[in-house]
Structures are given as structure tokens and as C-alpha cells.
Amino acid sequence: MKSYRKELFFEIPTRRAFINITPQVEKCLYESKIKEGLVLINAMHITASVFINDDESGLHHDYDVWLEKIAPHSPVSQYRHNVGEDNADAHMKRQIMGREVVVAITEGKLDLGTWEQIFYGEFDGRRRKRVLVKIIGD
Ligand code: ZN
């Protein structure tokens, strides 16, 4: 069995953003030379997510509005976590949107469903963050 590990780095200039990282994961898969197996992609921060859904800007706007309703950033004083920091909402948004995804690899390609794309979800940006890509298989 072969194994491949890589960290992807993101420094998002805004507090929140959704970034399609499918091309970067495909590049990792190509580098790994693995044809059959699994790829795990996870955020290495507790205020960011990795998830799979549609690459459609209206949907991403809807996610942002929906997440702000569930866990609004302001007023920051509403959260007990926000003593010396202001990112309690980002922890909650990450919890809802998830930490990681696992995708099957078949014949050297990501075996994604129709319209499925892999996203990095940032909820407390403006600093350097990491995503882990781990691929195992043959
Ligand atoms: Zn925090």
C-alpha cells in the first residue's frame, strides 16, 4: 500500500470565505500516483471546515446568511468563549460545516458525484491556515 501526505496552505484576507480546492486535491492525487484507494482532506484548524457541495455562488451566499443566523458573529459579547478573542461563532460554523471529507479514488480519479466539489470553508481568516491531504491505496 502506498501513502501520501501533503499540507495545503491558505491565507484568506477576509474573515469568511469558501474556496474550491478540488484542483489542488486532484494535483495531490496525481503526485501520489495512487490509482485505487481513499483520500482524506481535513482542516487543521478548529475555525475552518472542509466539505463537499456545489460550486454555485448563490448557494455559497446562502450558506453565509444561514450560518450567520445560526451563529452570528456580533455581538461578540454574547459568547462565553470570547474572552480575549472574538471567534466563538467561527468554532460553531466549523462544527456545522464539518471538519473533513473522504473521497474514493477509482482509476486514478476522484470518484465524486454529479456536481460534487471539495471546499475549504474559512470562518476566521486573515491568518495562515492548513489543510491536510492524506491518500492511501495502490
Ligand atoms: Zn476561539
Side-chain angles (χ1 to χ4, degrees):
M1 189 193 76
K2 283 189 262 187
S3 168
Y4 171 98
R5 183 188 189 276
K6 189 163 190 179
E7 291 180 5
L8 306 177
F9 292 90
F10 299 92
E11 190 159 350
I12 309 295
T14 52
R15 185 178 287 275
R16 293 193 301 274
F18 298 122
I19 311 287
N20 188 336
I21 61 169
T22 313
Q24 285 151 281
V25 176
E26 284 171 340
K27 188 165 175 273
C28 292
L29 180 54
Y30 179 78
E31 285 173 8
S32 77
K33 298 183 171 36
I34 290 169
K35 302 291 180 203
E36 296 291 327
L38 294 171
V39 55
L40 163 79
I41 308 118
N42 69 268
M44 299 184 88
H45 297 266
I46 51 182
T47 54
S49 288
V50 173
F51 63 95
I52 292 179
N53 217 299
D54 194 1
D55 194 359
E56 197 278 304
S57 61
L59 179 67
H60 297 175
H61 172 80
D62 295 339
Y63 274 145
D64 198 44
V65 170
W66 176 66
L67 290 166
E68 269 298 292
K69 280 184 197 159
I70 298 168
H73 176 70
S74 303
V76 295
S77 61
Q78 73 190 299
Y79 299 105
R80 213 176 272 190
H81 177 70
N82 284 340
V83 177
E85 56 181 321
D86 66 354
N87 67 1
D89 66 304
H91 290 276
M92 292 171 184
K93 286 164 177 149
R94 182 269 171 95
Q95 205 68 39
I96 293 162
M97 297 303 282
R99 172 184 182 263
E100 79 277 303
V101 299
V102 175
V103 180
I105 298 157
T106 304
E107 295 176 354
K109 293 203 161 68
L110 297 175
D111 208 340
L112 292 165
T114 308
W115 302 113
E116 282 192 332
Q117 294 285 290
I118 306 163
F119 291 90
Y120 174 69
E122 178 61 81
F123 306 116
D124 187 25
R126 300 161 302 169
R127 56 198 166 101
R128 191 168 151 94
K129 286 182 161 177
R130 295 177 294 153
V131 166
L132 177 67
V133 178
K134 180 83 181 191
I135 309 174
I136 54 169
D138 287 305

